[in-house]
Amino acid sequence: MKNSLLINNKVVLKNFFKLQIILFILITTEIFAQQVAVNLQAPPPYQMRIEDMWNLVLVNQGEPTEIYLHATVIEQSSGLIVDVTSSVFFLPRGSKRIRSVDVGTVTVNQKNQNYNSVINRLSAVPNGNYEICVEVVRASDGFILGSGCIEHEVLNLSQVELLYPEDNSVLNPFEDYDDSDLNELRLRGIEKKDIRRGMVLSRTFSNQDSSDSVTTEYSQTLRGIEKKDIRRGLVIAKPGSITPHSRMMSSSIVFSWLPPTPVPNNIQVTYRIKIVELFGNQSPYDAMQSNPLFFSASGIFATSFQYPLAAREFNPERAYAWQVEAYSAGYLISSSEINSFSFIPDFDTKRTINDSKRSSLNIIRASNRTIEDLPGGLKTLSKNYSTSNSLSFRNSNIVQNFNLLSIPNLISNFLNDNEPKAISFGLTGELFGETSNRKGSGSEKKPSYGYLQLTPSVSLYGIPFGLSILLSSENSSQRQNINSFSFLYSVDAAKEMIQDKIENEGEESVPGLMKFFSYFHSFGIGTNYPSYSEYTMQGVPVSGLSFEFNPGWFYLATALQKNQKPIDNSAFRRDLYSGRIGFGQRDDTHLFFTGIYANDNASSIRIDSLNRILSPNSNYVFGIEGKVNLFEDKLSFDGEIAGAMLTRDNRDPDLVNEDIPQFVRNIFQPKISSQVDYAYSLNTTFDNSESNTKVSAGVRMIGPGYKSLGNPTLRNDKFEVSGKIEQKFVERQVSVSLSMKYYRDNLINSKLFTTKTYSPGIKLGLKFKNYPFLNLSYYPSFLKNDATDPLKKVDFKNHLFTASTGYNQKISDMMLSSNVFYMFNKSKSLDSLSGYTSNNFVITENLTFKSPLVLSAGFGMNFLNFADYSTRITNLDGSIGYTFFEQWNNTFGVNYSVEKNKSNRVGFYINSSYSLSEQVSIDLRVEKNNYSDQLISSNDYDEIIARTTLRIIL
């Protein structure tokens, strides 16, 4: 027995030694074969671009040698997607970090033909689960020195789509004004803001024509207030207040959006909302890059967000921009476009906040109509000042309580017997300051800040020049500049004078130099916001030169140079050069050719070695845009086609791809990180003012690889068909609007599934004289993909309904203004965490006495149900206002808000504004707010906020 065990032990021991020898040989062979160890760095989550294959660390344990890299990308179900090879480069002994810039020219050897468009147009791979392998090959004999592989999941997602508030929306449910209602008043110099800011109407009418047409429009606009009821001292709106019920407007806002697709149900997505204020001439994009966040919140699971009680109130005199970002496991996977909203409609300019015409010098024509296509962000409004031979400008966002000198006065002085002054000066300025004992909840803004807005102007024989200067204490070296300086020039005022001069004295009386200057639609030096088209350039700042020159049928425009300042580890110095040439008038029949080149200076900043997201871009954009007006402008066709190439890292090596024509490679030198695509649109509009009918339809496509740095947040990978019918009946007192929008993504199979969205809409408006107005709207959205796997299926429905009504009623010597607003928003998805239901309603009452006294009260409730969580917010608001001496407006108000079983907020405010003269006014507001959080006591606060504004017009 012992002998048997001994023999068995010897056999086991012998086999063990043999196994050790075999393992030693295998390990030695492997070590010898793997002369170069390959450590691939994982690409950013859910992304995989061609340049990401060359992010690795090589450890050469042998002698220095020349090598090249061979990489393959294999998808689990589709097989080989792409096979690429780098140029030959030298590999020293030891460890070396390899980036795409080190590997030289990259050649595409083989591609999966099913995904040819994805690789060629995106320089990326489609959605899927991948094995990425890189081999180190000795250049001399093709021997593989080492290899490495990693697995990675790719999700090419659509952008988050913002639903509410819509872009350029006015969030004021307490008033109902239509453009047509105020048109005649505006022509007469009576502005909407003059009515609602508590100005005494007898003052407003003192220098105006009291014709029946004005009376009719006025009484219709105010719904029940007749001209005979207008008397000296009557205040139509709450005096001195910024806007009544501002807390209720803030707390009633529910932001909503559509999720990115296609996100599988097993991947948890959270959202971050960002809101910024707009100052001066800023576009929403510029404000998002430059300004501290007015408010932000992260970790949002639903596709909606109730603006919280703890946050600062929105200032109704400001415009705001908002954006939503989507995250998974802490990584940014998608972001939305940038929308804007405000609380006071800009009836003077009728421009979208997104339009760079915000930076235009608006000068009122002889008829007091707004000139809409001027450069620079300023405007003048008519008011009969005694010093009527000077010309002043003002900012359309900052100075909203004053009408400056009108062009008609200037023209009349120019044409009368007395010669005008050769040089006259004007100045508009606003100094604003705010201080508090704490920062706002969720805000990046400092407790104390301020800004100065100056718009000095000079008129040389009636031709206006001006400066726009914005200086802010919130300007930061870690963000793009808030501070701006612009020299602005417009000859539109001169055009009016030329026209009148020709009519009175003949064409020969107009100096040639004045004629030449009148051909410029715009001219600016400094910070400008040129707007070409949605596909080329819209909303980005350009610090340098910008002009539009349009003598007759010829059109020429350019904008250059600095587009982005360098910030270490954040943003490269970017220069942008753009130009347009063509024939025709911009707002009439025309054909324009556009070219844009933008480039980041790779050496302009220092970048942290751990920063794998930031890279210097380069961008080429070429477009053709045209418009044809027919039948006295009742029927119009417009269209655009544009192509763009974006290089995500201009330090990358060149790309050799036989599918790209040689002449294209010679001109544009595509890199391995270059994406190229095109976009087009075709629209038609029928607008018959005689029948009050407007019909529009359009189709547009934006390829998934299309990217213009002139409009960086433009949503791509989208094919859209839309239509809209607008009709007004019964002398424009009934309006109906029907709309339909359909769009889909996955245009080149870059995603696993195609998502389709249907968005119908209907809107009804009733505005009968002496009856309450009524506005109803319903805008649902249905989003669905074609996946069959329940885990990857997307079926998202969103319903948005709003209703508002109001009436102004005369009771003895008093005026009662009543308003009701209701909003219903419901979202439903296969993912229960994304569903919610929101019900909001607000009731407001304003009582105006014979004396300049106004009492205001408001009540609102918000109900929100989300998954297994529900809440109710109740808002109460009251104020009393009185106007002394027709120029000193004072308001005292209190507001109270409570969120059931969670928190409450009590606020008091005093607002006082006084006109020291027709040239100088001052406004002071003091607030005290107390917030109590019943769940987390550390969130409690007691704050005092003081704001003051000094406005000057000289």
Side-chain angles (χ1 to χ4, degrees):
M1 183 70 177
K2 291 183 179 179
N3 291 335
S4 177
L5 290 174
L6 182 61
I7 293 172
N8 289 336
N9 288 337
K10 288 182 178 180
V11 172
V12 171
L13 187 61
K14 184 177 181 180
N15 291 335
F16 175 76
F17 282 123
K18 287 181 179 180
L19 181 61
Q20 291 287 81
I21 293 172
I22 292 172
L23 290 174
F24 177 78
I25 293 173
L26 291 174
I27 292 173
T28 304
T29 303
E30 180 68 18
I31 291 175
F32 179 77
Q34 289 282 355
Q35 176 182 325
V36 179
V38 181
N39 182 14
L40 272 71
Q41 306 297 300
Y46 307 116
Q47 298 180 22
M48 179 60 203
R49 298 167 175 172
I50 299 299
E51 63 266 29
D52 293 328
M53 291 188 289
W54 313 120
N55 186 13
L56 63 160
V57 175
L58 300 180
V59 181
N60 183 10
Q61 303 174 21
E63 296 299 320
T65 184
E66 289 190 331
I67 65 165
Y68 65 87
L69 302 179
H70 173 241
T72 58
V73 178
I74 299 174
E75 207 276 323
Q76 283 184 1
S77 58
S78 301
L80 179 67
I81 300 298
V82 65
D83 180 306
V84 294
T85 302
S86 75
S87 297
V88 175
F89 61 95
F90 181 76
L91 180 65
R93 183 178 177 83
S95 177
K96 179 177 176 61
R97 177 68 181 268
I98 303 296
R99 296 182 182 274
S100 56
V101 68
D102 303 316
V103 302
T105 301
V106 173
T107 302
V108 178
N109 303 317
Q110 186 179 355
K111 292 174 291 186
N112 187 317
Q113 294 303 312
N114 294 329
Y115 303 104
N116 214 25
S117 295
V118 179
I119 298 169
N120 288 342
R121 291 159 70 170
L122 301 183
S123 287
V125 298
N127 282 14
N129 294 298
Y130 289 90
E131 182 183 55
I132 307 164
C133 295
V134 175
E135 296 176 337
V136 179
V137 183
R138 190 159 54 204
S140 59
D141 57 6
F143 183 77
I144 299 176
L145 300 176
S147 65
C149 297
I150 60 171
E151 293 183 351
H152 190 67
E153 181 181 9
V154 175
L155 285 175
N156 295 315
L157 302 176
S158 66
Q159 285 181 258
V160 175
E161 182 175 0
L162 305 181
L163 291 179
Y164 184 87
E166 295 180 292
D167 192 25
N168 195 36
S169 57
V170 178
L171 305 183
N172 191 345
F174 310 125
E175 298 180 33
D176 175 62
Y177 292 94
D178 186 80
D179 303 352
S180 60
D181 293 337
L182 293 179
N183 183 57
E184 185 66 26
L185 289 175
R186 185 164 57 247
L187 296 181
R188 302 288 180 174
I190 303 174
E191 301 297 331
K192 172 180 181 288
K193 61 183 177 302
D194 297 330
I195 297 172
R196 66 194 287 254
R197 292 182 184 281
M199 294 186 67
V200 179
L201 266 292
S202 57
R203 270 179 69 190
T204 306
F205 271 111
S206 61
N207 293 317
Q208 304 299 334
D209 184 355
S210 300
S211 65
D212 292 339
S213 60
V214 178
T215 305
T216 301
E217 294 289 348
Y218 180 73
S219 60
Q220 180 182 356
T221 302
L222 295 184
R223 309 284 183 264
I225 300 178
E226 304 293 341
K227 181 186 175 183
K228 60 184 176 60
D229 297 323
I230 305 298
R231 57 189 177 277
R232 189 167 188 81
L234 174 63
V235 180
I236 300 301
K238 180 161 95 173
S241 62
I242 298 177
T243 287
H245 319 298
S246 58
R247 161 49 49 182
M248 298 186 68
M249 287 193 295
S250 295
S251 60
S252 66
I253 298 178
V254 178
F255 297 88
S256 61
W257 56 89
L258 294 178
T261 59
V263 177
N265 290 331
N266 60 340
I267 295 180
Q268 181 64 62
V269 176
T270 60
Y271 300 95
R272 181 192 186 201
I273 186 171
K274 302 189 298 182
I275 304 173
V276 294
E277 287 181 291
L278 274 66
F279 294 105
N281 308 328
Q282 287 182 319
S283 67
Y285 173 80
D286 187 24
M288 195 63 71
Q289 308 303 311
S290 306
N291 301 356
L293 294 179
F294 177 81
F295 177 82
S296 69
S298 303
I300 304 169
F301 290 97
T303 56
S304 71
F305 180 75
Q306 168 77 58
Y307 193 71
L309 293 182
R312 287 278 171 87
E313 295 180 9
F314 292 108
N315 185 339
E317 292 190 337
R318 296 264 186 259
Y320 294 85
W322 69 292
Q323 185 180 34
V324 173
E325 298 171 335
Y327 291 82
S328 178
Y331 294 98
L332 177 66
I333 59 174
S334 179
S335 59
S336 72
E337 295 181 276
I338 302 173
N339 278 6
S340 60
F341 64 91
S342 60
F343 299 91
I344 299 175
D346 190 356
F347 285 94
D348 303 313
T349 59
K350 292 310 299 175
R351 297 165 300 169
T352 64
I353 298 175
N354 227 354
D355 196 326
S356 68
K357 294 175 187 175
R358 171 181 294 280
S359 66
S360 64
L361 190 63
N362 289 299
I363 301 175
I364 307 302
R365 297 182 185 272
S367 63
N368 282 349
R369 289 181 291 108
T370 301
I371 299 173
E372 295 189 352
D373 56 349
L374 309 181
L378 312 172
K379 63 181 177 181
T380 58
L381 299 176
S382 60
K383 188 170 184 178
N384 294 320
Y385 289 118
S386 57
T387 56
S388 60
N389 59 346
S390 65
L391 183 65
S392 300
F393 312 123
R394 72 161 197 164
N395 182 275
S396 59
N397 293 322
I398 302 301
V399 184
Q400 302 190 28
N401 289 336
F402 298 97
N403 293 337
L404 304 188
L405 185 64
S406 65
I407 290 177
N409 294 329
L410 181 64
I411 294 176
S412 63
N413 285 331
F414 185 84
L415 296 177
N416 63 20
D417 296 335
N418 299 323
E419 290 295 324
K421 293 182 180 180
I423 301 178
S424 56
F425 299 93
L427 173 66
T428 297
E430 175 170 309
L431 178 63
F432 173 84
E434 177 178 310
T435 184
S436 177
N437 60 331
R438 63 182 293 275
K439 289 176 60 175
S441 298
S443 177
E444 291 182 356
K445 298 173 73 69
K446 296 179 179 179
S448 299
Y449 72 96
Y451 68 81
L452 173 66
Q453 172 81 29
L454 290 176
T455 56
S457 61
V458 60
S459 175
L460 303 177
Y461 290 99
I463 301 178
F465 298 85
L467 296 177
S468 176
I469 303 171
L470 175 64
L471 301 175
S472 173
S473 64
E474 295 183 293
N475 198 69
S476 171
S477 61
Q478 300 304 308
R479 298 187 302 268
Q480 297 301 312
N481 286 329
I482 301 177
N483 295 344
S484 64
F485 175 90
S486 302
F487 169 80
L488 307 163
Y489 164 74
S490 172
V491 297
D492 286 82
K495 286 181 181 179
E496 299 294 341
M497 289 188 293
I498 291 174
Q499 182 178 353
D500 283 286
K501 196 172 183 66
I502 291 175
E503 293 176 356
N504 289 274
E505 302 179 24
E507 186 174 354
E508 65 280 356
S509 65
V510 180
L513 188 61
M514 183 177 289
K515 283 185 179 179
F516 174 77
F517 284 150
S518 69
Y519 296 142
F520 283 91
H521 281 187
S522 66
F523 187 93
I525 299 176
T527 301
N528 299 276
Y529 296 85
S531 179
Y532 290 173
S533 69
E534 180 186 26
Y535 293 158
T536 55
M537 185 157 60
Q538 183 173 282
V540 297
V542 178
S543 296
L545 172 68
S546 176
F547 71 82
E548 288 182 273
F549 184 61
N550 197 182
W553 61 268
F554 179 71
Y555 178 90
L556 178 68
T558 190
L560 49 97
Q561 169 193 17
K562 185 178 178 181
N563 175 238
Q564 185 174 268
K565 79 174 184 181
I567 304 173
D568 284 345
N569 212 42
S570 177
F572 292 92
R573 158 71 186 247
R574 177 175 297 165
D575 292 324
L576 184 148
Y577 306 87
S578 66
R580 301 188 95 188
I581 191 170
F583 59 87
Q585 295 290 323
R586 177 169 181 168
D587 296 325
D588 206 336
T589 299
H590 65 260
L591 180 65
F592 296 156
F593 299 87
T594 303
I596 298 175
Y597 172 66
N599 185 68
D600 291 348
N601 185 344
S603 61
S604 60
I605 63 172
R606 295 188 300 270
I607 305 178
D608 191 290
S609 60
L610 299 178
N611 190 335
R612 298 175 52 196
I613 299 176
L614 184 65
S615 60
N617 297 166
S618 293
N619 189 211
Y620 291 94
V621 180
F622 295 96
I624 303 174
E625 184 254 331
K627 183 178 181 180
V628 177
N629 288 342
L630 303 172
F631 308 115
E632 298 180 343
D633 297 340
K634 291 182 180 179
L635 180 64
S636 66
F637 297 91
D638 65 86
E640 180 179 12
I641 184 169
M645 185 183 80
L646 174 75
T647 298
R648 296 183 291 263
D649 192 335
N650 56 31
R651 301 166 301 183
D652 282 343
D654 292 340
L655 174 67
V656 178
N657 188 337
E658 296 304 324
D659 290 338
I660 303 175
Q662 184 63 47
F663 78 93
V664 174
R665 282 184 272 167
N666 293 338
I667 296 175
F668 300 107
Q669 298 180 336
K671 309 292 185 181
I672 64 172
S673 59
S674 295
Q675 61 186 65
V676 60
D677 220 319
Y678 68 101
Y680 67 82
S681 66
L682 179 63
N683 305 284
T684 182
T685 301
F686 174 75
D687 191 352
N688 187 353
S689 59
E690 297 174 359
S691 63
N692 297 316
T693 303
K694 185 175 182 179
V695 181
S696 59
V699 59
R700 67 174 188 159
M701 190 282 297
I702 309 173
Y706 188 87
K707 182 85 170 182
S708 170
L709 295 179
N711 189 4
T713 64
L714 176 68
R715 180 172 181 170
N716 55 20
D717 195 18
K718 184 177 185 181
F719 175 79
E720 177 184 297
V721 179
S722 61
K724 188 174 185 179
I725 301 175
E726 300 172 82
Q727 180 66 58
K728 294 185 178 181
F729 308 92
V730 195
E731 298 180 344
R732 303 174 65 90
Q733 296 180 110
V734 178
S735 61
V736 178
S737 174
L738 300 174
S739 63
M740 181 64 188
K741 184 184 294 184
Y742 159 81
Y743 52 93
R744 63 179 176 87
D745 63 0
N746 200 24
L747 303 185
I748 60 172
N749 294 323
S750 59
K751 302 168 183 174
L752 290 179
F753 312 107
T754 299
T755 303
K756 299 179 180 180
T757 303
Y758 299 87
S759 297
I762 182 171
K763 186 175 182 179
L764 172 67
L766 303 177
K767 301 182 303 179
F768 292 102
K769 182 180 178 181
N770 298 327
Y771 287 92
F773 73 84
L774 176 65
N775 289 325
L776 303 173
S777 67
Y778 174 55
Y779 291 99
S781 295
F782 307 98
L783 184 150
K784 191 174 184 179
N785 72 357
D786 56 4
T788 56
D789 185 345
L791 292 178
K792 299 179 181 179
K793 186 75 174 177
V794 174
D795 190 354
F796 186 90
K797 301 179 179 67
N798 186 276
H799 302 268
L800 180 63
F801 171 80
T802 63
S804 61
T805 184
Y807 184 66
N808 290 332
Q809 181 180 7
K810 183 176 183 293
I811 304 175
S812 183
D813 291 332
M814 299 179 294
M815 294 290 179
L816 178 64
S817 176
S818 305
N819 295 275
V820 179
F821 173 77
Y822 171 74
M823 184 176 75
F824 169 79
N825 188 203
K826 182 175 183 179
S827 167
K828 185 177 181 181
S829 173
L830 296 177
D831 175 13
S832 60
L833 291 179
S834 299
Y836 66 89
T837 301
S838 173
N839 287 274
N840 305 322
F841 74 87
V842 178
I843 301 174
T844 67
E845 298 286 350
N846 293 293
L847 183 62
T848 304
F849 293 86
K850 181 177 180 179
S851 60
L853 173 69
V854 174
L855 300 178
S856 298
F859 172 76
M861 296 190 73
N862 306 332
F863 301 87
L864 180 63
N865 296 299
F866 166 66
D868 58 350
Y869 170 79
S870 63
T871 186
R872 182 186 69 210
I873 300 176
T874 303
N875 301 291
L876 296 171
D877 182 277
S879 66
I880 179 171
Y882 194 86
T883 301
F884 297 94
F885 316 118
E886 300 183 3
Q887 58 186 4
W888 183 17
N889 300 323
N890 297 273
T891 302
F892 171 77
V894 58
N895 49 67
Y896 174 74
S897 300
V898 57
E899 184 171 3
K900 182 180 178 182
N901 300 325
K902 185 176 180 181
S903 61
N904 63 77
R905 185 179 187 273
V906 180
F908 305 89
Y909 65 90
I910 298 175
N911 200 100
S912 182
S913 61
Y914 184 75
S915 296
L916 302 176
S917 67
E918 289 189 329
Q919 289 76 34
V920 181
S921 71
I922 187 169
D923 183 275
L924 175 65
R925 181 182 177 94
V926 178
E927 300 179 16
K928 178 176 173 55
N929 301 306
N930 182 276
Y931 176 78
S932 176
D933 192 320
Q934 300 175 21
L935 303 178
I936 306 175
S937 59
S938 59
N939 292 336
D940 295 354
Y941 65 77
D942 189 359
E943 68 178 5
I944 297 178
I945 307 171
R947 302 187 185 100
T948 185
T949 306
L950 176 66
R951 298 182 177 97
I952 301 176
I953 302 175
L954 300 176

